[in-house]
Amino acid sequence: MKGLYTALMCSFDESGNINEKGLREIVRQNIDVQQVDGLYVNGSTGENFLISKEQKKQIFDIVKNEAGDDVKLIAQVGALNLDEAVELAKYATELGYNAISAVTPFYYKFDFDEIKDYYNTILDSVDNNLIIYSIPALTGVNMNLEQFGELFKNDKVIGVKFTALDFFLLERIRHAYPDKLIYSGFDEMLLSASVLNVDGAIGSTFNVNGQRARQIFELAQKGQIDEARDVQKATNDLIAEILDNGLYPTIKEILKHQGIDAGYCRKPMKSLNSEGVKKAKEIAEKHLK
Ligand code: SI3
């Protein structure tokens, strides 16, 4: 399960329905062109928290059907409704997803016992392994080293997708739990995470910049830090402009510019106005030629 995973985008039509043709094209783009090792399905980038349970299942179906066994598939099933998370975990497992992942439960201020119960409840229901999805900036949930260790006591918790700025904690987790998988979550910090010996990365910008992500990761693994830094610089020049223009809508516009039917974002996320669309094309021309 090591390697680089795209946090997969989904294509929606203007009414918010899944655009199956577009989703299949995005899957193929990631497998055939970006050549990532796997896909992380229904994460933040997939606008998971804006869609219905039935749509989540539909996306799991389409992606598995398109990807087959070409790459590894991780199904993000985390939901505030624990019954839904369990149902999705079972669903994705039956489809053949290689692992599941679940965001830490958010919005209410759950204590750690509640968080632990959430993960163990999901895992008790399926014969599959789980990757914790930790993204404190969006969830407000900050777990410490000991709490990660508590969750890791369940053998089916095989790792963490670490989307956080606290690299002291990342380093501590790496050394305390060498057998658990750590995936870097911030694409702009991939080199720094790679130097700390993460096992892989999961990123939204890999939808359009996966090849550079691989270069950074592999150069760092070989100890070619100067070269890796150059590629990270080129990557961050791209990411800075994407973030400035609007993260997910800009990635979608770049995909469209490359001939992929990436569709619209789900409301309340807005799509780009004509100026934003123009800017997205310029970003693609400037950084992804
Ligand atoms: O679940 C997911 O879609 C992700 O893997 C998210 C991933 O960590 C991204 N984070 C968010 C909030 O989108 C990053 O790839 C991020 O977009 C990128 O580093 C730009 O900041």
Side-chain angles (χ1 to χ4, degrees):
M1 295 297 297
K2 293 182 180 186
L4 300 175
Y5 289 69
T6 297
L8 195 71
M9 303 231 97
C10 183
S11 178
F12 299 100
D13 68 20
E14 258 181 299
S15 308
N17 305 305
I18 293 162
N19 167 7
E20 177 169 346
K21 170 180 163 286
L23 176 55
R24 287 181 184 276
E25 287 176 14
I26 296 172
V27 170
R28 288 262 58 95
Q29 161 80 1
N30 276 292
I31 297 173
D32 301 335
V33 179
Q34 301 302 336
Q35 301 196 326
V36 290
D37 301 304
L39 304 174
Y40 187 84
V41 184
N42 283 339
S44 311
T45 309
E47 298 166 66
N48 174 73
F49 305 104
L50 305 177
I51 62 177
S52 69
K53 182 178 72 181
E54 291 315 315
Q55 287 180 311
K56 293 175 192 179
K57 288 184 176 176
Q58 202 187 335
I59 292 170
F60 285 144
D61 281 335
I62 295 168
V63 174
K64 177 62 188 171
N65 181 271
E66 184 61 46
D69 295 325
D70 291 354
V71 292
K72 295 269 193 280
L73 296 177
I74 301 174
Q76 198 296 120
V77 301
L80 278 188
N81 179 331
L82 188 48
D83 294 340
E84 175 174 323
V86 165
E87 188 178 327
L88 292 171
K90 286 182 181 164
Y91 192 82
T93 300
E94 277 164 23
L95 280 176
Y97 275 68
N98 302 89
I100 56 172
S101 177
V103 70
T104 51
F106 52 91
Y107 189 76
Y108 301 102
K109 300 284 175 209
F110 298 105
D111 69 26
F112 181 68
D113 287 338
E114 292 167 325
I115 294 173
K116 191 171 153 188
D117 181 59
Y118 163 91
Y119 282 112
N120 289 336
T121 302
I122 295 172
L123 276 173
D124 285 348
S125 72
V126 286
D127 183 16
N128 208 344
N129 293 322
L130 179 138
I131 294 151
I132 299 161
Y133 181 8
S134 177
I135 180 159
L138 294 186
T139 59
V141 179
N142 280 286
M143 291 193 294
N144 61 33
L145 182 65
E146 290 69 33
Q147 290 170 331
F148 276 108
E150 245 338 277
L151 298 181
F152 286 155
K153 280 185 187 163
N154 185 331
D155 288 339
K156 288 160 84 180
V157 177
I158 55 170
V160 57
K161 169 163 131 48
F162 189 93
T163 309
L165 302 176
D166 185 349
F167 272 35
F168 180 31
L169 177 60
L170 174 59
E171 185 274 344
R172 293 289 83 190
I173 297 174
R174 173 69 302 163
H175 284 98
Y177 303 103
D179 298 331
K180 297 292 180 181
L181 295 167
I182 305 178
Y183 300 91
S184 166
F186 276 127
D187 314 349
E188 50 276 47
M189 294 156 73
L190 177 57
L191 172 56
S192 316
S194 302
V195 167
L196 289 175
N197 214 16
V198 294
D199 301 288
I202 299 170
S204 64
T205 61
F206 300 177
N207 283 279
V208 293
N209 194 49
Q211 293 182 12
R212 280 205 194 102
R214 179 169 303 286
Q215 287 172 24
I216 296 167
F217 187 59
E218 292 184 352
L219 285 166
Q221 284 183 325
K222 285 188 263 175
Q224 294 176 244
I225 302 302
D226 287 345
E227 292 87 339
R229 196 163 35 226
D230 287 344
V231 187
Q232 185 74 69
K233 154 93 174 50
T235 289
N236 288 1
D237 289 345
L238 166 70
I239 291 177
E241 291 200 36
I242 289 178
L243 290 174
D244 195 46
N245 201 47
L247 178 61
Y248 304 141
T250 301
I251 296 176
K252 286 192 179 181
E253 282 304 326
I254 292 174
L255 285 168
K256 283 191 216 171
H257 184 63
Q258 295 170 340
I260 291 150
D261 186 8
Y264 299 83
C265 289
R266 284 273 305 189
K267 286 184 175 175
M269 215 175 273
K270 58 178 192 271
S271 294
L272 298 177
N273 59 22
S274 55
E275 207 175 301
V277 170
K278 185 165 164 267
K279 179 70 190 166
K281 282 185 192 151
E282 285 168 12
I283 294 171
E285 292 289 329
K286 183 170 156 195
H287 296 285
L288 293 167
K289 274 280 163 196

